[in-house]
Amino acid sequence: MRKLLILALLVSVAALWAQRETLPACYYTYGEISQLLSDYESEHPDIARRVQIGLTQQDQLPIYAMRISDNVNQDEEEPALLFVGQVHAEEVLGVQITMNNISEILANREQFPYMQWIHYLDMWFVPTLNPEGHEVVTGNIDTSYRKNKRDNNMNGVFDYSPLVGYDVDGVDINRNFDFNWCHGDTLLQPGGLEVWDYYRGPAPMSESEPQAIKALADKYKFIYSICWHSSRTGNFSEKCYYSFNWKETRPSPDMAFASSICSSVASQITNEAGSGSYEALPNLSRKGAFHDWMYKEYGTYQLLIECGTRNLQPEEALMQNTVQRCRNGVYWLLNRALPSSDDVPSSAMLTGRVRDAQTEAPLEAEIILEGYHAPWFVPRTSNPDTGRFFKPLPTGTYTIRVRKKGYWDAVVPNQMVYNSSWTQVQIALEPRQPASLSGKVHSGGLDIEANIVIGDAFPDTLAVNGNFIHNGFEGEYPLRVWAEGYYPWLGTVKLNPGENSISLDLGPATEVFSEDWESGTDGWTIAGPWVTQDQLAASGTAITDSWGGNGFYAMNCDVWIAPSAPLFIPSESSAMLTFHSHVHTEDTFDPVTVEASADSLEWTVLWTKSGKHDHFAREMVQLDQYSGQSIFLRFRLTDQSHNVELTDPGWTLDNISLICGNSTSVQDPGLPGLPKAALYQNHPNPFNPETTIRFALA
């Protein structure tokens, strides 16, 4: 009876949240949006183009964007901006804002500043990223619907409810991106009333809508973006959010600049009451959100703007008023992207081209601003066809590092970025000379199957059976070689231009200690909620630090496992600890470590890692410094959130082994200037109308 009363209470409260039964007729339908975009293209074929960027998840509706730029059918060297009107179906105001932006720019194409935007910028407008959800709302099927229409229970029926939070089908697109997706809501989220509405999806990037926007952003690498939202509860109304300051503890490397951009945009939008402007705030939570993902993936400064008030779908007069007020923020951002603007105090931007120093061919290379970089950034790269890059920045002095596989790094120190204009830099990368490494992996003269990893920033992995050849470039690289049952070889190899060779002799490995977790945890001392399980393992069973509860390690935790007895390291040969590791912790702040101690009181860190490495990697740790000693080993995870809950799925370990043995190498450094015959990848590929082909002759 108590459960029934609670359920009745929840349903009655949810009923109070139900939206209006009928949407006002002033809101565009999907059909009207599609037709208008087509009409705009016909009326302005030189500057407007309707582009299908993908299809929706369930109904396979085309997702359309409107591209506005001079020479609209060409990809020019212009900064690109993205404006998305809607991801949540019930939040229809953003659709109206975006459609208004399109019509106003086209109607005023001969006027300033519209003419400047069209000439200097590449503008992309996506009125709705969620057309199938939009149709549910505009068709008055369910005006409180939020998600796309994925058939979660696979019954072939669209399952929805007019009560807020009880729509069984659908995925919240703004929880489906693959940055912090693990923190989003499960399908039936425990607690609260909206048990279905924020469902993150069955996997990161599982939905076709995020996939569509990724394909577009991969190509155009937008510098600025706005995604429009409206606050269902009213708690977040009339606010602009930027990336990020998680839990008010973990700021992004560019938070100060993102804050300045967001504050300026927010200041342009007068609130509904007329008493002030929108408020600028950092995003505080990690939920697989679009704007944080855009920042991580491309360095895009995307603002999430909650337009309007709790009245998500106002009548026409207020809707039009909201559209007029909000477009001022869009116009400020467009002006900020121009080479210079009288309407924006600062248009500072670092831009330039990266080229091959010898052929002058444009290069796609990673652009790193030292001091404003994070290990979890996806490489921010120049355009592969033009070599052009754009990086909005505040005025200041920066050190730029540019790197690409097959080239020597270029470093530009003390580069000044000036106020109110673009700063142009030209960067030429010197190519490394082609170099090959041929060799043999054997044991006592017999060829063996082995794995080779060569390189660090741009590693290559080879699976070999005895003889091998690797075509690369001159330079010094780390080299790791291992084979089952043999002692690994770890070291560096120097490749001179031309042909190089190496012979790697791996001796048999003697196992001193091993643990595959197939027989439980006997012989281990365990601190924390470590458990063995077979759902996430390199093979069979593995041990995980945080399998129970919500699946994340605990705030302020210090958890570890250690063999109960000390391990003796023989002195007759080399010693190495190997294990399979699957890590997902907060970068830098929550390290996993392997530690050694002679007395189990004072510990020395031998190996450490942090961040998202959610695949099993074979890790190898040299123990030669403990030759002839008995030592304690432990595997440890510590959370350094300092009473703020910023935790992740944690650490899984498998196939721990302490082995002894020997391996040797003999390297022939080759003869510089006498390369072997080789043909290297052309660039660009595919090419039109020309390409560069590199080759070496014996």
Side-chain angles (χ1 to χ4, degrees):
M1 178 62 71
R2 182 181 179 186
K3 290 182 179 179
L4 291 175
L5 289 174
I6 292 174
L7 179 61
L9 176 62
L10 292 176
V11 171
S12 64
V13 173
L16 297 176
W17 287 9
Q19 301 295 302
R20 62 169 75 243
E21 294 182 1
T22 303
L23 190 73
C26 58
Y27 291 93
Y28 290 120
T29 66
Y30 171 72
E32 290 170 338
I33 293 168
S34 302
Q35 186 59 54
L36 277 170
L37 297 184
S38 179
D39 293 343
Y40 292 146
E41 182 180 48
S42 299
E43 295 163 6
H44 305 273
D46 57 328
I47 63 169
R49 180 182 167 205
R50 188 184 78 166
V51 181
Q52 181 179 323
I53 64 170
L55 298 170
T56 64
Q57 177 68 31
Q58 192 67 30
D59 293 345
Q60 297 290 285
L61 298 175
I63 303 171
Y64 290 118
M66 177 109 282
R67 185 184 193 183
I68 301 177
S69 184
D70 63 343
N71 304 314
V72 72
N73 293 310
Q74 301 177 26
D75 291 338
E76 299 182 291
E77 295 184 60
E78 298 174 336
L81 293 87
L82 172 69
F83 302 92
V84 178
Q86 177 196 57
V87 295
H88 294 139
E90 66 180 345
E91 299 169 19
V92 291
L93 277 170
V95 177
Q96 304 301 121
I97 295 168
T98 305
M99 292 298 292
N100 177 265
N101 295 158
I102 296 169
S103 64
E104 287 291 314
I105 292 171
L106 295 177
N108 296 282
R109 57 178 296 182
E110 302 298 335
Q111 308 297 320
F112 285 97
Y114 306 92
M115 181 189 297
Q116 290 176 296
W117 301 339
I118 294 168
H119 179 72
Y120 287 108
L121 306 178
D122 189 8
M123 297 173 283
W124 290 80
F125 298 87
V126 180
T128 173
L129 190 60
N130 185 8
E132 63 188 31
H134 185 253
E135 284 202 320
V136 172
V137 173
T138 58
N140 295 310
I141 298 169
D142 180 2
T143 58
S144 69
Y145 197 71
R146 175 182 177 87
K147 302 174 287 182
N148 70 7
K149 292 173 62 180
R150 171 183 278 273
D151 187 5
N152 289 326
N153 55 11
M154 294 182 290
N155 64 354
V157 176
F158 176 46
D159 295 301
Y160 68 94
S161 168
L163 299 180
V164 172
Y166 288 85
D167 299 311
V168 174
D169 281 339
V171 168
D172 182 342
I173 297 171
N174 200 43
R175 301 294 189 275
N176 190 240
F177 290 90
D178 68 353
F179 187 39
N180 295 317
W181 173 87
C182 64
H183 297 284
D185 286 6
T186 56
L187 183 57
L188 185 61
Q189 184 72 11
L193 300 175
E194 299 163 298
V195 293
W196 303 95
D197 266 13
Y198 297 89
Y199 175 43
R200 65 190 180 187
M205 305 298 289
S206 62
E207 307 309 286
S208 60
E209 296 88 354
Q211 293 169 19
I213 210 70
K214 183 181 188 306
L216 183 68
D218 279 348
K219 185 172 184 180
Y220 292 101
K221 306 181 192 302
F222 300 102
I223 61 167
Y224 295 124
S225 176
I226 291 175
C227 185
W228 295 97
H229 289 253
S230 298
S231 175
R232 171 185 284 179
T233 64
N235 295 332
F236 307 103
S237 294
E238 302 190 316
K239 293 180 174 59
C240 299
Y241 292 94
Y242 56 90
S243 296
F244 50 75
N245 189 14
W246 295 329
K247 303 286 187 178
E248 300 182 325
T249 301
R250 298 285 187 263
S252 72
D254 295 295
M255 193 185 80
F257 180 62
S259 174
S260 70
I261 295 296
C262 188
S263 296
S264 296
V265 169
S267 70
Q268 303 298 308
I269 307 175
T270 303
N271 61 23
E272 188 175 303
S275 59
S277 60
Y278 278 28
E279 184 181 4
L281 297 166
N283 179 38
L284 302 180
S285 65
R286 301 184 292 168
K287 295 284 187 180
F290 185 17
H291 54 302
D292 281 355
W293 175 82
M294 287 285 283
Y295 173 71
K296 180 267 296 185
E297 198 81 6
Y298 312 102
T300 304
Y301 296 103
Q302 182 180 92
L303 308 181
L304 185 161
I305 303 184
E306 300 276 6
C307 61
T309 61
R310 184 176 179 179
N311 184 2
L312 302 186
Q313 302 155 356
E315 298 292 343
E316 183 169 9
L318 180 54
M319 180 271 284
Q320 293 288 1
N321 179 265
T322 304
V323 168
Q324 299 299 317
R325 287 181 286 109
C326 286
R327 74 181 181 189
N328 293 330
V330 174
Y331 291 179
W332 186 94
L333 197 61
L334 290 169
N335 283 327
R336 176 59 172 80
L338 290 173
S340 63
S341 172
D342 294 335
D343 297 321
V344 175
S346 172
S347 296
M349 175 102 73
L350 177 67
T351 184
R353 291 191 185 96
V354 184
R355 296 189 177 275
D356 185 301
Q358 295 184 6
T359 67
E360 294 293 314
L363 297 175
E364 181 179 25
E366 183 179 6
I367 314 298
I368 298 172
L369 294 182
E370 295 186 355
Y372 298 86
H373 182 71
W376 43 267
F377 282 0
V378 173
R380 284 87 188 271
T381 58
S382 53
N383 185 289
D385 298 321
T386 65
R388 172 70 69 179
F389 67 91
F390 293 96
K391 177 66 177 174
L393 290 169
T395 301
T397 303
Y398 301 89
T399 296
I400 310 166
R401 179 177 295 274
V402 183
R403 65 182 184 184
K404 180 177 177 62
K405 186 174 184 178
Y407 291 81
W408 300 102
D409 286 5
V411 178
V412 182
N414 302 318
Q415 175 63 55
M416 183 66 187
V417 174
Y418 296 97
N419 193 23
S420 301
S421 65
W422 291 357
T423 299
Q424 298 271 357
V425 294
Q426 302 299 324
I427 298 173
L429 295 184
E430 288 288 344
R432 297 174 185 245
Q433 293 300 307
S436 69
L437 179 65
S438 59
K440 177 193 287 280
V441 182
H442 59 97
S443 182
L446 298 177
D447 291 351
I448 57 175
E449 294 183 359
N451 296 279
I452 299 174
V453 177
I454 180 172
D456 188 10
F458 307 102
D460 290 311
T461 301
L462 293 75
V464 307
N465 187 358
N467 295 315
F468 69 90
I469 185 168
H470 166 69
N471 289 320
F473 303 93
E474 64 175 318
E476 189 168 330
Y477 303 94
L479 184 68
R480 303 197 311 161
V481 185
W482 73 92
E484 294 299 332
Y486 298 89
Y487 193 79
W489 189 89
L490 307 180
T492 59
V493 60
K494 183 177 182 181
L495 302 186
N496 291 313
E499 197 171 60
N500 304 261
S501 66
I502 190 170
S503 175
L504 296 151
D505 187 1
L506 307 187
T510 301
E511 200 166 64
V512 176
F513 172 84
S514 68
E515 178 61 80
D516 59 9
W517 309 108
E518 304 302 319
S519 301
T521 58
D522 289 347
W524 287 81
T525 300
I526 296 178
W530 297 81
V531 295
T532 55
Q533 43 74 38
D534 59 6
Q535 297 178 51
L536 179 64
S539 60
T541 301
I543 193 166
T544 304
D545 73 280
S546 47
W547 201 253
N550 65 359
F552 304 126
Y553 50 90
M555 179 175 64
N556 302 321
C557 72
D558 184 349
V559 298
W560 50 268
I561 59 172
S564 300
L567 304 176
F568 179 71
I569 311 299
S571 57
E572 297 81 13
S573 59
S574 295
M576 186 177 295
L577 178 70
T578 73
F579 56 95
H580 282 107
S581 172
H582 183 289
V583 179
H584 188 172
T585 69
E586 193 186 359
D587 262 299
T588 307
F589 297 101
D590 298 344
V592 297
T593 57
V594 174
E595 302 173 345
S597 173
D599 56 8
S600 74
L601 297 175
E602 298 292 329
W603 295 89
T604 300
V605 174
L606 305 180
W607 172 93
T608 187
K609 187 176 266 189
S610 65
K612 185 180 179 184
H613 309 275
D614 54 348
H615 58 277
F616 278 99
R618 182 187 292 268
E619 305 290 356
M620 292 177 277
V621 182
Q622 291 276 14
L623 298 176
D624 288 351
Q625 66 268 43
Y626 297 104
S627 177
Q629 303 177 45
S630 291
I631 62 170
F632 294 90
L633 289 174
R634 72 176 178 184
F635 301 81
R636 183 185 185 193
L637 184 154
T638 54
D639 172 65
Q640 301 176 14
S641 54
H642 304 298
N643 299 316
V644 177
E645 192 168 353
L646 281 167
T647 61
D648 283 302
W651 196 13
T652 301
L653 288 158
D654 204 357
N655 301 322
I656 299 171
S657 182
L658 173 57
I659 57 176
C660 293
N662 290 293
S663 59
T664 59
S665 68
V666 177
Q667 184 183 358
D668 180 353
L671 297 173
L674 296 176
K676 74 183 211 76
L679 179 65
Y680 301 95
Q681 179 64 56
N682 66 306
H683 180 85
N685 180 27
F687 61 90
N688 182 18
E690 61 183 30
T691 191
T692 298
I693 300 175
R694 291 201 178 142
F695 62 91
L697 298 177

